[in-house]
Amino acid sequence: MKVIFISLALVLNLFSFANIDSLLQCLDTAQYKSALYNQLAQTYADSSFELSYQYIQKAVFEAKKESNHLESANAYCFLGEFYYSQSQLDSALFYTQRSLPLYQTSEDLLGECTAYNNIASISYNLGNIDTALYFFNLALEVERKLKNDKGIALNLNNQAIIFTYKGDYSKAYNVYNEVLSVREKIKDNIGVANTLNNIAYIFEEWGDYEKATEYYLRSLKLSESEGDKYLSSVTMNNIAYVYKQWKEYHKSLEYFEKARKLKQEIGDKKGLANNYSSNGSVYFDMQAFENALKYFTFSKELYQEINHKQGVGIAMHNIGSVYTEKQVFDKAIEYHTKALDISKETNSKPGISKSYLYLGKDYLGKKEYKKALEYAAKSLEFAQEMNNLVSVSKVYELYRDIYIAQNDFKHALKYYKDLEVLNDSLFNAEKHRQMTMMNTVFEVEKKEAENLLLTEKNLKNKALIEKKELQYQQEKTTKTFTAIALVIVFIFGVFVSFLYRKNSYTSETSCKEILN
């Protein structure tokens, strides 16, 4: 499952000045200084945390002395963002909550909306999912009053992320399509790319890897054209996971490596923690368990450093899964139980289902078949509730193995047949070929675009350049329609499917990212 990321959307009502010198000059003569101190704190936020913090404290003091509720609210809101950036989430929540009634007293709708969004974002990262959803709803109401389409799309997107996390994929899919419509209307290309990524994840959870790949490639094309390294790294990570599902491990590691380099370049710690986990999952599938344990441990430590509860739970689950495969079952049960506790605390149905699945496998290893069947039943209940066919198939595998271990071949055969039918609907060779074709088309178009740009640099005549551009667009359109036609031919022309290989028990919960 993708790690959900909801960014803290801080918007402050502050004066705007050209530079620090002009701010300091104004400070010498200003009667009311709280707004200037807030602006200085914001200006120093990226270069000096110490100076930024000092100016925030001065802003709080001056605003109180001036009885300026609005600047007090701005100071507390910015102080919350300061602590959020330091991963001190409890302090971030405390100060952001203090800003809310001050914004309301000042009748500042924009500030009020900001406070709602920030409280929701911090609550999410603290694992308080339902609280986050409540405050995102409040923010959405204000955005609609302000008729702010961009804000409306962002809040709907955040709500869809939470529905996804809770395993309500149908509701998430419907909301994402609403988001996509708004973002296309306002021509928010990065927002469109984000939403395409999120919709791709829903298709992936439904087992439609062909559709998922189509959306991921559309997202990557947009993010690269916009020069968004963060989003490109996320999408590469997600494409890598699709290759992992097809057991093309070399290709998967290649995409994970590309994503990791971008994450390191932009300093994305959360994305890097997820990437470590993703690499670990590939080595896990390759049965290189020591390498898998190394990467999962890197991931856990980094998630703990940034105080990301859901990420810690995912890492605990993955480490437990390594011990399951190494047949150190007591250690595996210890880690899977910790992961289950975090999933319950954060109300993650996919996480709960996955932990029950692996606890069932652990007790199968200990030959405690009654407990194994109990956990398998609990896992299946959640998987079916979410309509997560991939998870259902893994539970069928577990049931089959439990009955085989008990020499109950009648029941084992039943689940073997159920698994065969389900896997046949999830994977087939033709869909794999279609996915490869779409990726090839994308890479060819990208290369041709790069070559065209290099050629244009050497052209001196503007008319020749415009002609070249037109020719390229026509060729690109022809290729696109050709690719679509090929896909249609494949879909309607091929009816023979191949049984997909037995799904690995490896944890998928750490391999994916979802965007706001």
Side-chain angles (χ1 to χ4, degrees):
M1 190 183 80
K2 296 179 178 129
V3 176
I4 302 173
F5 174 71
I6 303 175
S7 65
L8 191 67
L10 185 70
V11 181
L12 295 180
N13 299 318
L14 301 175
F15 296 123
S16 177
F17 291 89
N19 52 48
I20 292 173
D21 289 338
S22 63
L23 284 169
L24 293 173
Q25 289 172 7
C26 291
L27 196 60
D28 291 336
T29 58
Q31 182 179 358
Y32 300 108
K33 300 182 179 182
S34 58
L36 297 172
Y37 283 132
N38 270 326
Q39 183 65 41
L40 281 165
Q42 188 182 43
T43 304
Y44 277 111
D46 293 331
S47 58
S48 173
F49 281 119
E50 184 177 346
L51 282 173
S52 181
Y53 183 76
Q54 288 176 10
Y55 281 118
I56 296 173
Q57 295 294 339
K58 289 181 179 181
V60 170
F61 177 78
E62 288 292 330
K64 186 176 181 180
K65 188 170 70 173
E66 297 166 4
S67 297
N68 189 332
H69 296 310
L70 179 57
E71 291 306 330
S72 289
N74 285 337
Y76 284 133
C77 194
F78 191 66
L79 196 56
E81 203 279 340
F82 175 85
Y83 281 114
Y84 182 89
S85 69
Q86 301 297 303
S87 298
Q88 298 181 40
L89 300 184
D90 289 328
S91 295
L93 184 61
F94 173 78
Y95 285 108
T96 307
Q97 286 174 331
R98 291 191 70 175
S99 74
L100 178 57
L102 292 167
Y103 279 129
Q104 290 170 330
T105 299
S106 304
E107 298 183 351
D108 186 324
L109 286 180
L110 182 59
E112 182 181 347
C113 186
T114 298
Y116 285 146
N117 269 316
N118 292 356
I119 291 170
S121 298
I122 298 166
S123 297
Y124 171 80
N125 282 285
L126 285 169
N128 303 323
I129 304 302
D130 291 329
T131 301
L133 186 58
Y134 172 76
F135 278 99
F136 278 134
N137 265 313
L138 292 178
L140 179 60
E141 290 176 10
V142 178
E143 296 287 14
R144 283 181 167 147
K145 286 181 184 177
L146 295 169
K147 297 182 179 179
N148 179 12
D149 284 338
K150 192 167 186 177
I152 289 169
L154 177 62
N155 276 279
L156 286 171
N157 188 74
N158 288 343
Q159 290 183 43
I161 287 169
I162 291 176
F163 292 138
T164 304
Y165 184 77
K166 296 176 74 172
D168 193 343
Y169 299 127
S170 294
K171 188 176 286 187
Y173 177 75
N174 291 334
V175 176
Y176 279 136
N177 276 285
E178 189 177 349
V179 174
L180 187 61
S181 176
V182 175
R183 286 176 166 170
E184 287 177 337
K185 183 182 78 171
I186 62 177
K187 302 188 186 304
D188 177 9
N189 288 338
I190 293 299
V192 169
N194 284 335
T195 310
L196 291 171
N197 217 305
N198 293 350
I199 294 173
Y201 173 68
I202 299 298
F203 281 117
E204 204 166 329
E205 288 299 287
W206 283 338
D208 192 340
Y209 292 97
E210 175 195 3
K211 204 73 175 174
T213 303
E214 175 191 332
Y215 275 85
Y216 281 140
L217 290 174
R218 285 173 61 188
S219 176
L220 182 59
K221 190 172 182 178
L222 263 179
S223 63
E224 289 189 336
S225 68
E226 295 291 325
D228 191 317
K229 292 183 179 180
Y230 171 74
L231 182 54
S232 294
S233 73
V234 167
T235 310
M236 287 175 183
N237 215 69
N238 294 346
I239 293 171
Y241 178 73
V242 175
Y243 280 113
K244 172 184 172 293
Q245 289 294 88
W246 287 105
K247 301 194 184 307
E248 293 193 20
Y249 300 126
H250 177 74
K251 196 75 174 176
S252 179
L253 288 171
E254 177 186 326
Y255 269 97
F256 280 136
E257 176 66 20
K258 290 178 181 178
R260 184 163 64 252
K261 287 179 179 178
L262 286 177
K263 291 177 187 300
Q264 289 171 334
E265 185 179 335
I266 63 180
D268 176 16
K269 284 188 176 182
K270 190 180 295 186
L272 191 58
N274 176 67
N275 187 272
Y276 284 143
S277 192
S278 301
N279 275 267
S281 70
V282 176
Y283 285 116
F284 183 99
D285 280 8
M286 295 170 69
Q287 298 188 333
F289 296 124
E290 293 306 318
N291 275 340
L293 187 60
K294 178 180 71 174
Y295 279 103
F296 288 151
T297 302
F298 285 162
S299 176
K300 178 177 74 72
E301 291 171 350
L302 196 47
Y303 276 130
Q304 287 173 331
E305 179 185 329
I306 62 177
N307 195 23
H308 192 280
K309 186 176 292 185
Q310 293 92 333
V312 173
I314 290 168
M316 291 288 189
H317 172 80
N318 291 342
I319 292 171
S321 301
V322 173
Y323 285 118
T324 299
E325 295 302 317
K326 295 178 74 173
Q327 299 186 0
V328 186
F329 296 116
D330 289 334
K331 198 78 172 174
I333 289 170
E334 175 189 340
Y335 275 97
H336 286 139
T337 301
K338 289 178 180 177
L340 177 62
D341 290 341
I342 292 175
S343 292
K344 286 181 176 179
E345 184 181 346
T346 57
N347 195 24
S348 169
K349 288 182 181 179
I352 293 170
S353 177
K354 186 66 66 178
S355 294
Y356 280 143
L357 174 73
Y358 270 82
L359 283 166
K361 193 177 183 189
D362 294 336
Y363 281 107
L364 169 60
K366 290 169 68 73
K367 299 183 180 180
E368 296 184 29
Y369 304 123
K370 185 178 179 180
K371 280 190 174 180
L373 286 169
E374 288 175 0
Y375 282 114
K378 291 178 179 179
S379 179
L380 183 60
E381 179 184 350
F382 279 92
Q384 289 176 333
E385 182 182 337
M386 296 181 294
N387 193 30
N388 188 327
L389 299 183
V390 176
S391 295
V392 170
S393 73
K394 291 182 182 297
V395 180
Y396 284 172
E397 285 183 7
L398 177 57
Y399 270 122
R400 179 200 61 195
D401 293 344
I402 293 171
Y403 286 120
I404 288 174
Q406 297 179 91
N407 294 320
D408 185 347
F409 297 111
K410 179 181 177 180
H411 284 95
L413 181 60
K414 172 190 178 302
Y415 282 103
Y416 178 85
K417 289 181 177 179
D418 289 345
L419 181 63
E420 185 179 57
V421 172
L422 184 58
N423 280 342
D424 190 55
S425 68
L426 285 173
F427 301 97
N428 61 61
E430 182 55 33
K431 283 186 177 181
H432 188 189
R433 186 162 55 159
Q434 290 167 11
M435 186 188 81
T436 303
M437 183 192 70
M438 285 188 291
N439 186 65
T440 301
V441 170
F442 169 76
E443 294 292 343
V444 168
E445 284 192 355
K446 179 180 174 183
K447 187 65 178 177
E448 288 183 350
E450 291 172 353
N451 291 339
L452 182 64
L453 288 173
L454 289 173
T455 302
E456 287 177 349
K457 288 181 181 179
N458 296 323
L459 295 175
K460 296 181 180 180
N461 190 303
K462 184 177 179 181
L464 288 176
I465 294 175
E466 291 175 349
K467 181 179 178 182
K468 197 76 174 179
E469 287 177 343
L470 179 60
Q471 179 184 357
Y472 168 71
Q473 292 297 329
Q474 291 171 339
E475 290 175 353
K476 188 172 70 172
T477 301
T478 301
K479 288 187 177 70
T480 301
F481 281 111
T482 301
I484 292 172
L486 285 172
V487 171
I488 293 173
V489 170
F490 281 133
I491 291 173
F492 292 99
V494 180
F495 293 90
V496 180
S497 59
F498 298 91
L499 178 62
Y500 179 69
R501 291 182 291 177
K502 174 183 174 183
N503 285 330
S504 168
Y505 275 107
T506 187
S507 167
E508 298 146 9
T509 57
S510 64
C511 300
K512 310 298 296 170
E513 294 182 88
I514 197 161
L515 300 170
N516 86 37

